[in-house]
Amino acid sequence: GGHVTLEDRVNMGAGAGCHQFVRVGRTAMIAGMARVVQDVVPFATVANDNTLYGLNRVGIRRAGFPREAMAPLKEAYRRFCIHRTPLAELMNWLQNQPENPFLRAWIDFLGVKSRRGYARAESGRTENGLTKSARGEGGLGGGPVNESESKQ
């Protein structure tokens, strides 16, 4: 049979479900009623079906991680979850960074072969979970997709 692996300090909302063989990294947050069918990297937030919506800043703060260590984590999230940098390229980047507790967790998590692939951010999302249009920068989300939708 299959199973799900939840690392330390994972927070799963009511009614959330994970497909068998999924791994959820430490201090990740899964919103209530979300369906997770791919691995979730440590410190990430899943607020919709299998879509990452940024970092779990509250969980990170509560876990007592140093604030100054966040910048490299934000960059790793940007590279892998938003820009979809290939795994081998990301691992090379991670291993060439100064020692950092966040990046160490990512190296350990991503170093284990995924059976289901990795959840990523929705196209057009930023590291804080907003779409570009929600930040006033155009892009996906917020407005009609084409002219016919705007006339309805």
Side-chain angles (χ1 to χ4, degrees):
H3 63 276
V4 172
T5 302
L6 302 177
E7 292 188 351
D8 293 339
R9 302 182 78 95
V10 169
N11 185 329
M12 289 191 69
C18 291
H19 193 285
Q20 64 182 355
F21 305 118
V22 162
R23 296 179 307 132
V24 180
R26 75 186 220 187
T27 316
M29 170 130 186
I30 312 296
M33 302 302 290
R35 293 180 296 174
V36 179
V37 298
Q38 292 181 306
D39 293 355
V40 177
V41 292
F43 314 109
T45 299
V46 177
N48 200 352
D49 291 347
N50 211 57
T51 303
L52 299 184
Y53 278 78
L55 297 170
N56 180 9
R57 296 172 196 276
V58 173
I60 290 167
R61 186 184 73 238
R62 288 179 181 167
F65 287 103
R67 188 179 188 122
E68 59 275 3
M70 281 285 291
L73 175 61
K74 288 179 187 177
E75 180 60 24
Y77 182 89
R78 233 180 262 115
R79 286 172 181 257
F80 190 61
C81 301
I82 296 173
H83 299 300
R84 299 175 185 263
T85 299
L87 182 58
E89 186 179 325
L90 179 76
M91 288 296 283
N92 185 47
W93 180 83
L94 288 169
Q95 291 167 344
N96 287 309
Q97 298 303 303
E99 187 58 33
N100 176 296
F102 296 117
L103 300 186
R104 173 53 44 203
W106 272 48
I107 290 168
D108 294 344
F109 187 85
L110 296 172
V112 176
K113 185 171 177 10
S114 174
R115 293 176 73 172
R116 303 220 27 98
Y118 297 97
R120 307 283 181 112
E122 184 178 52
S123 179
R125 295 245 171 231
T126 63
E127 68 275 0
N128 62 2
L130 298 175
T131 61
K132 291 180 180 180
S133 63
R135 292 187 344 198
E137 298 178 17
L140 300 176
V145 175
N146 58 45
E147 230 178 82
S148 64
E149 282 188 40
S150 63
K151 294 177 184 176
Q152 294 178 353

